Amino acid sequence: MADVLLENVTKEFEGGVVAVKNLYLEVKDKEFVVLLGPSGCGKTTTLRLIAGLESPTAGSIYIGGKLVNNLEPWARDVAMVFQSYALYPHMSIFDNIAFPLRMHKVAKTEIKDRVQKTAELLEIKELLKRKPRQLSGGQRQRVALARAIVRNPQVFLMDEPLSNLDAKLRVVMRIELKKLQRRIGVTTVYVTHDQVEAMTLADRVAIQFNGILQQYAPPTEIFAHPKNRFVAGFVGTPPMNFIEGKLKPWGAFAMFEAEGFSILLDQELANKTAENAKQLPLDAWYGIRPEDTEITEKGEPPEWIRGEVYGVELLGSQNIVHIQIDKTRIVAIASPTKLYQMGQALWVKLTSSRAHLFDRETERNLTSPAS
């Protein structure tokens, strides 16, 4: 197997469009790395650069310690799994899986043995005589994976391979894919815009935006310590609440003043901020996740702030409550047994040690160790 290294890689297309900018990314041997970000952020271009389907404008790409900038895709010993499965409709499942081995002129007896073993691994042995049109979406995805695995490549490259499956099957396939990657131990680079996929599959997540790597870390670190406001808002469901205002000293504590209300900072949060913030007062964003936002029907200032229910989403396992506080709207998560009505008055607690503060000018996280 092999590691992958992109060393200060830039890809610029015609018209001056920079899809990837000065990217340094190291994927360790046997690691499962997910490239995550919105459409147009550069993640698929990054994958195509590793595969050799695009050439870098600048920088170097290494696979297994070998510089591959000038190598053709077939010579890089990588296997790619596409969103569309890309199966040959006129061929049997056996022939689809065997195709890359035949292209490399592998002996017939070895082809049969490797296809059978791979089909067994993916539990599709009974499908080998069928045609792709006779399979479900999940079965076709397994065939596409089998065709990649059968080659014993150094690296798997996967471009949103589960996006064509229904929601329930995606959950099943995520689990199967993770188990499979652990079993065969192949270095894997996986592209998705689905944060749930990224957080459940990855050893490390590389979040990209506008062609620039925003943060590269294990999922738990990205969730708990987002490096900037973009990362904080992109990861988490429902998304993090952001409140615009000004951070000011308040005696031995600190106060965040928004339009129409103030938030007393948790002491631990204030201490973290003091290490990274410029001189106060400071224009900032106060960020708090809905699951850390407390609500009650009775509360007292200064920790509790009066608001009004703007809307409620009843999801069965939990209720998502939208709350209006002066001109600011935030979201909180309530117990499924607690029902709120539109227009109902309630109290909100936004003081939390798990909250974040972001510099309004740079958008960097002032409360994160990554600052």
Side-chain angles (χ1 to χ4, degrees):
M1 302 309 166
D3 55 358
V4 176
L5 174 64
L6 286 82
E7 196 171 57
N8 305 322
V9 170
T10 294
K11 177 59 181 179
E12 184 175 341
F13 291 103
E14 280 186 41
V17 178
V18 180
V20 177
K21 185 176 181 181
N22 200 33
L23 174 63
Y24 186 93
L25 186 74
E26 184 179 5
V27 183
K28 297 175 183 175
D29 183 27
K30 299 181 182 178
E31 191 174 24
F32 197 126
V33 165
V34 174
L35 307 182
L36 175 67
S39 297
C41 71
K43 56 188 185 296
T44 295
T45 300
T46 301
L47 200 74
R48 290 173 63 84
L49 285 164
I50 299 170
L53 302 175
E54 300 285 355
S55 298
T57 307
S60 302
I61 301 171
Y62 298 87
I63 298 176
K66 181 179 180 181
L67 182 66
V68 297
N69 283 43
N70 297 319
L71 285 184
E72 294 295 326
W74 62 266
R76 297 190 182 199
D77 197 14
V78 300
M80 198 157 180
V81 180
F82 297 93
Q83 177 182 346
S84 62
Y85 315 140
L87 302 179
Y88 297 106
H90 63 288
M91 289 185 183
S92 68
I93 300 308
F94 181 97
D95 290 335
N96 264 282
I97 298 171
F99 184 79
L101 299 180
R102 288 182 178 139
M103 291 296 290
H104 284 79
K105 303 193 185 308
V106 175
K108 285 185 179 180
T109 52
E110 187 180 345
I111 288 175
K112 185 177 180 181
D113 183 55
R114 282 167 67 171
V115 170
Q116 292 285 348
K117 284 181 180 176
T118 304
E120 252 178 62
L121 181 67
L122 285 162
E123 299 177 358
I124 54 171
K125 200 171 180 180
E126 73 283 0
L127 306 178
L128 292 177
K129 293 181 180 178
R130 297 188 195 177
K131 296 286 179 66
R133 66 177 179 273
Q134 297 173 296
L135 307 186
S136 68
Q139 289 170 330
R140 290 181 195 179
Q141 189 57 71
R142 286 175 186 268
V143 174
L145 288 168
R147 187 177 54 190
I149 292 167
V150 78
R151 288 177 48 194
N152 296 325
Q154 291 191 91
V155 179
F156 282 157
L157 304 175
M158 300 190 181
D159 191 6
E160 305 209 39
L162 308 183
S163 61
N164 284 340
L165 305 179
D166 62 61
K168 186 177 179 181
L169 189 53
R170 273 203 305 272
V171 173
V172 174
M173 285 301 294
R174 279 203 303 264
I175 295 168
E176 292 300 320
L177 194 57
K178 184 71 173 178
K179 284 175 64 179
L180 178 67
Q181 193 267 345
R182 282 282 180 269
R183 199 180 312 157
I184 60 181
V186 178
T187 307
T188 301
V189 183
Y190 185 106
V191 161
T192 184
H193 64 274
D194 185 332
Q195 54 150 316
V196 176
E197 257 180 45
M199 302 297 273
T200 53
L201 283 171
D203 296 317
R204 284 192 289 174
V205 179
I207 298 184
Q208 294 174 277
F209 182 57
N210 288 340
I212 298 171
L213 181 65
Q214 303 294 313
Q215 188 168 358
Y216 186 35
T220 51
E221 183 179 332
I222 282 178
F223 186 83
H225 305 293
K227 191 174 181 181
N228 56 41
R229 184 171 173 246
F230 172 79
V231 174
F234 195 78
V235 174
T237 306
M240 182 180 285
N241 295 304
F242 292 107
I243 302 167
E244 189 175 1
K246 194 177 289 284
L247 181 63
K248 295 182 176 181
W250 194 67
F253 299 91
M255 185 74 78
F256 183 83
E257 289 190 0
E259 189 171 359
F261 63 97
S262 298
I263 303 168
L264 180 66
L265 256 66
D266 173 86
Q267 189 60 59
E268 184 182 339
L269 188 71
N271 293 339
K272 291 178 188 174
T273 307
E275 295 174 10
N276 296 309
K278 295 183 288 185
Q279 187 175 357
L280 301 184
L282 176 71
D283 290 334
W285 294 92
Y286 186 88
I288 184 167
R289 296 197 183 277
E291 55 268 34
D292 296 326
T293 304
E294 297 180 53
I295 53 177
T296 184
E297 293 173 18
K298 294 181 180 179
E300 292 182 5
E303 281 195 325
W304 292 90
I305 303 163
R306 192 173 178 82
E308 183 180 286
V309 177
Y310 183 84
V312 181
E313 297 175 68
L314 307 177
L315 302 182
S317 61
Q318 62 185 21
N319 294 335
I320 297 176
V321 185
H322 298 255
I323 305 158
Q324 191 79 34
I325 308 174
D326 202 83
K327 294 181 180 178
T328 301
R329 194 174 302 161
I330 63 166
V331 175
I333 294 177
S335 163
T337 60
K338 200 71 177 172
L339 299 178
Y340 293 94
Q341 304 299 320
M342 289 178 64
Q344 179 181 345
L346 45 65
W347 293 81
V348 183
K349 184 180 179 184
L350 298 169
T351 300
S352 171
S353 61
R354 292 187 295 275
H356 301 270
L357 280 154
F358 303 90
D359 186 306
R360 188 110 56 90
E361 183 181 350
T362 64
E363 297 202 345
R364 73 188 183 100
N365 192 344
L366 300 172
T367 58
S368 170
S371 295

